[in-house]
Amino acid sequence: AGGDIIGVDWRIELAEALAVDADYFVSLDREHFVGNPALSNLPFPVGTPGDCLAWLRRSGGAFSASA
């Protein structure tokens, strides 16, 4: 279905990331996530796997302890 990512609506994926207080949202979906200016106010960065690796290197390689 249009807008679905492997059968999951992209809005559900975003809601799940918000619900778990994600540190980073990794996606290859350039239509809905990566580079989408409407998502610039999220409490976490959004990017590709490579973007996330670069972010981890800059941040010292640690995620927040919010489990």
Side-chain angles (χ1 to χ4, degrees), residues 22-39:
D23 290 307
Y24 201 100
F25 189 90
V26 176
S27 179
L28 294 174
D29 182 349
R30 294 184 185 278
E31 180 181 353
H32 299 109
F33 299 121
V34 179
N36 184 342
L39 303 180

Side-chain angles (χ1 to χ4, degrees), residues 45-57:
V46 176
T48 66
D51 295 336
C52 183
L53 288 173
W55 176 81
L56 279 169
R57 287 185 191 106

Side-chain angles (χ1 to χ4, degrees), residues 2-31:
D4 288 357
I5 303 171
I6 313 173
V8 177
D9 187 293
W10 66 270
R11 292 166 289 224
I12 294 171
E13 290 191 18
L14 185 57
E16 288 172 344
L18 288 165
V20 299
D21 196 25
D23 290 307
Y24 201 100
F25 189 90
V26 176
S27 179
L28 294 174
D29 182 349
R30 294 184 185 278
E31 180 181 353

